[in-house]
Amino acid sequence: MSFSPVVLPVPGRPVDLQVRVSAPATGTDLAVILLSHGQGPSNNLSSLNGYAPLVNSWAAQGFVVIQPTHLTSRTLTHLVADAPGAPFFWRSRSEDMSHILDRLDMIEKAVPLLSGRIDHAKVAVAGHSFGGFTAGLLLGAQVTDPDEGGEVSLLEPRIKAGVLLAAPGRGDVLNGPMGDALPVFRTIDFSTMTTPALVVAGEKDDSRHFTDMGPDWHADPYTLAPGPKTLLTLFGAEHGLGGIAGYDAAETTDENPERVAALARLTAAYLRTGLHPGDPAWQAAREALTAGPDPIGRVESK
């Protein structure tokens, strides 16, 4: 079931925080995945209305998925264009997730048939592209505020595991036009990202608008962070990872429903084991990945 929008008043935020909540129709003690959207060229997928291919699968596999509309969404541009932090709101994006966790009780009561079914101690974060940067900050990565100076930590201790999907990498190799537009990306420090995480990188995700480092750039959150970390490299995948942002999305340059379905299964298995230590889901998923004649990717861990 999916319920939208749940409207959460947040003092000081230019507009109320709106979220979509998707959950299985049955079950209790359900773990939570907070999903941070990317940007992309579409007007509406970068909001609570996007990422249905992943969200539907995660909910069907027993998770409560909560999707905020960050202030960066094009659906809000006309309302927040002059707000502090515009246009990228890098700090606000992470703070949205803490606001959601502060209001989990409110969300449970607002969504029909959900009350009493969430395990508040089992929370993960996932994010795609810019959302991967947001997730990285919540998992412990630090940045320097480009306007005020000084180290910024937005670590959220209530989050126990994460998934970074096509997230940006190190900042000292930025030589594309977006490097100047997003100076905070130049200061990312993964050495403090200690929360367990699965980093997903597309084998052909070459983000030249940021760097000419090539697809390896998106593996940096694995390479440069301390363990425990796992890297899933998807063969043939570009930045859309097969089409996770939306069904038939115009920005998906590598549409591959089978890849999306496999990614949804693998990420759910990783988070299930991460939030329930001893659960064999991730081990079984890794074995299944390499058992067939034509694997969709490879996994390495540290």
Side-chain angles (χ1 to χ4, degrees):
M1 62 183 187
S2 184
F3 194 83
S4 170
V6 177
V7 181
L8 305 174
V10 176
R13 199 174 188 270
V15 295
D16 288 338
L17 177 58
Q18 295 194 4
V19 305
R20 176 184 295 273
V21 181
S22 302
T26 61
T28 57
D29 298 322
L30 302 174
V32 174
I33 300 176
L34 306 175
L35 177 57
S36 179
H37 63 73
Q39 288 306 103
S42 294
N43 287 325
N44 209 263
L45 291 183
S46 295
S47 74
L48 56 75
N49 293 318
Y51 294 87
L54 274 184
V55 173
N56 292 345
S57 180
W58 285 342
Q61 294 180 77
F63 291 92
V64 175
V65 187
I66 303 178
Q67 302 172 253
T69 294
H70 295 305
L71 295 178
T72 53
S73 174
R74 292 188 185 184
T75 64
L76 299 178
T77 299
H78 62 296
L79 297 174
V80 301
D82 297 324
F88 294 110
F89 297 102
W90 60 269
R91 188 192 295 261
S92 169
R93 289 174 60 98
S94 296
E95 291 173 344
D96 283 346
M97 301 310 201
S98 293
H99 293 317
I100 289 170
L101 294 180
D102 291 342
R103 293 160 175 80
L104 269 185
D105 286 333
M106 183 186 304
I107 291 172
E108 273 194 274
K109 293 175 182 177
V111 177
L113 305 180
L114 188 61
S115 182
R117 298 174 57 208
I118 294 178
D119 186 339
H120 292 219
K122 291 182 171 58
V123 178
V125 67
H128 176 230
S129 193
F130 197 178
F133 174 82
T134 300
L137 295 183
L138 291 162
L139 296 171
Q142 295 186 359
V143 292
T144 300
D145 189 314
D147 299 316
E148 302 176 2
E151 290 292 316
V152 177
S153 173
L154 294 167
L155 172 68
E156 177 49 79
R158 290 173 289 186
I159 294 174
K160 306 305 182 185
V163 175
L164 278 61
L165 303 158
R170 71 189 72 182
D172 59 357
V173 296
L174 298 185
N175 54 14
M178 288 304 295
D180 293 330
L182 272 163
V184 69
F185 277 21
R186 296 186 180 276
T187 69
I188 188 75
D189 179 6
F190 294 110
S191 69
T192 55
M193 195 175 77
T194 55
T195 308
L198 171 65
V199 177
V200 181
E203 185 187 39
K204 295 184 177 180
D205 185 3
D206 193 355
S207 299
R208 293 300 174 107
H209 54 303
F210 278 108
T211 177
D212 59 9
M213 182 177 166
D216 287 347
W217 186 59
H218 294 286
D220 279 346
Y222 169 80
T223 306
L224 302 178
K229 296 292 182 295
T230 299
L231 175 65
L232 169 61
T233 303
L234 295 176
F235 299 149
E238 299 177 13
H239 198 61
L241 303 177
I244 63 173
Y247 298 113
D248 302 317
E251 61 256 45
T252 300
T253 57
D254 62 333
E255 187 170 9
N256 188 318
E258 293 79 12
R259 178 184 297 139
V260 174
L263 175 59
R265 291 193 301 269
L266 285 161
T267 50
Y270 176 85
L271 292 178
R272 186 171 305 283
T273 296
L275 296 174
H276 301 85
D279 189 300
W282 176 237
Q283 181 63 33
R286 289 189 63 167
E287 292 172 357
L289 175 67
T290 58
D294 189 21
I296 67 155
R298 64 177 180 271
V299 172
E300 53 191 286
S301 298
K302 64 179 182 180

